[in-house]
Amino acid sequence: MRSAITISLIPEAHGAPFVFRDDLAAGCERAAALGFDAVEVFPRSAQELDVQQLKNLLAQHRLQLAAVGTGAGWMVHQLRLTDADTETRQCAQEFAAAIVEVAGGLGAPAIIGSMQGRWEGGVTRDQALGWLAEALEELAPHAQNHRVPLLLEPLNRYETNLLNNVADSLDLLRKLRAQNVKLLCDLFHMNLEEANIADALRLAGPKLGHLHFADSNRRAFGFGHTDLAPVVQALRDIGYAGCVSGEVLPLPDSETAAKQTIASFKRWFG
Ligand SMILES: [Mn+2]
């Protein structure tokens, strides 16, 4: 397993669970200095990400790119793949596709989390799930061209009413022709939504593609009360060998959250 830490380049995302913020060079420098294997980057858009700078920083610090988030599509641009408006759905699709391409070019998967949107107003749950499935079918082959998966993240009920748990997300994946869509399981969301986190990870099994490593209160692992022992056992049982990425609140500050994340990673996965 590889350790990773999050870097947000979205000025509008202050208050969101990203450890390092606004400065890619400084974030990569701290990630490498603390011993992380990889960084997970959240750009404002594909076009606003300086790909050459990122490449140079990864090489300079011998870091891997764990994943690239699409959350700015929703947070900044209010784009959702399941919006009632056809044109907005198309814009969302283009926004996400551009990030899939940029990430894939760097050998990393893109994450579809908050861009899944929600069903509301005149849109039914089945309609929204159908639009999401269509979007994933369009995006996944672009990721496949780069030989990377596309990551779909179930979120807790306060962030979406569409995909909240592993079982419902697997139901959607089973209906897809694309085989490279994998689940991003976030321990913070799972703590709110799953009856048993370890059982849910076992259910995900080979479809687990990425892990967000956050404690019960979305702080760095060890700063909350989730019992990690059964979670680690479940990950071992399913042979998970992907990223364990600290997507947590920068509390009490970025440096302390990052240090706590790598210490917990080493303790539990080292
Ligand atoms: Mn997450």
Side-chain angles (χ1 to χ4, degrees):
M1 284 183 233
R2 293 175 294 156
S3 60
I5 196 79
T6 44
I7 304 174
S8 166
L9 303 174
I10 312 168
E12 293 89 341
H14 277 251
F18 303 119
V19 174
F20 294 117
R21 286 149 185 239
D22 302 334
D23 186 335
L24 189 57
C28 288
E29 190 275 322
R30 290 317 301 151
L34 292 170
F36 286 95
D37 300 311
V39 289
E40 184 170 320
V41 176
F42 294 79
R44 199 166 180 279
S45 66
Q47 293 74 17
E48 287 164 280
L49 180 65
D50 186 338
V51 175
Q52 193 55 52
Q53 183 204 17
L54 177 54
K55 264 187 194 168
N56 293 345
L57 287 167
L58 294 172
Q60 182 193 337
H61 295 294
R62 297 181 190 194
L63 286 166
Q64 295 175 335
L65 184 61
V68 182
T70 63
W74 167 243
M75 280 186 276
V76 179
H77 308 281
Q78 276 76 57
L79 295 173
R80 304 182 290 187
L81 295 167
T82 55
D83 199 276
D85 179 61
T86 310
E87 207 168 300
T88 304
R89 288 202 303 279
Q90 187 58 37
C91 287
Q93 179 76 16
E94 284 163 18
F95 182 93
I99 290 184
V100 169
E101 287 296 339
V102 162
L106 295 162
I111 302 165
I112 303 297
S114 57
M115 284 198 78
Q116 72 184 266
R118 52 191 298 120
W119 61 280
E120 61 192 0
V123 177
T124 66
R125 183 165 196 272
D126 281 350
Q127 215 168 8
L129 285 173
W131 285 330
L132 180 58
E134 276 174 34
L136 296 172
E137 293 280 30
E138 292 254 325
L139 294 169
H142 292 281
Q144 188 60 41
N145 288 343
H146 295 287
R147 299 172 189 279
V148 294
L150 176 66
L151 299 172
L152 176 63
E153 181 176 14
L155 305 173
N156 75 72
R157 68 191 66 187
Y158 306 107
E159 298 187 28
T160 185
N161 58 4
L162 199 54
L163 294 176
N164 296 132
N165 58 51
V166 166
D168 287 352
S169 306
L170 287 174
D171 281 346
L172 184 71
L173 295 199
R174 272 191 282 272
K175 292 177 186 143
L176 302 179
R177 291 184 302 279
Q179 293 299 301
N180 64 321
V181 182
K182 299 233 170 171
L183 294 188
L184 192 178
C185 287
D186 182 317
L187 297 176
F188 166 73
H189 298 306
M190 296 181 91
N191 177 62
L192 289 165
E193 297 295 341
E194 304 289 353
N196 182 300
I197 297 176
D199 288 350
L201 291 169
R202 284 197 185 86
L203 184 65
K207 283 293 182 187
L208 178 62
H210 196 89
L211 191 78
H212 276 163
F213 189 46
D215 214 325
S216 53
N217 48 6
R218 214 167 204 178
R219 293 180 62 174
F221 228 102
F223 288 165
H225 58 73
T226 297
D227 180 8
L228 203 52
V231 172
V232 172
Q233 188 57 53
L235 293 170
R236 287 214 181 98
D237 291 347
I238 64 171
Y240 180 68
C243 278
V244 175
S245 188
E247 192 201 48
V248 298
L249 296 164
L251 295 173
D253 54 71
S254 297
E255 185 74 8
T256 309
K259 277 184 181 158
Q260 176 66 25
T261 296
I262 195 69
S264 287
F265 176 83
K266 285 181 175 161
R267 179 179 165 205
W268 291 95
F269 301 102

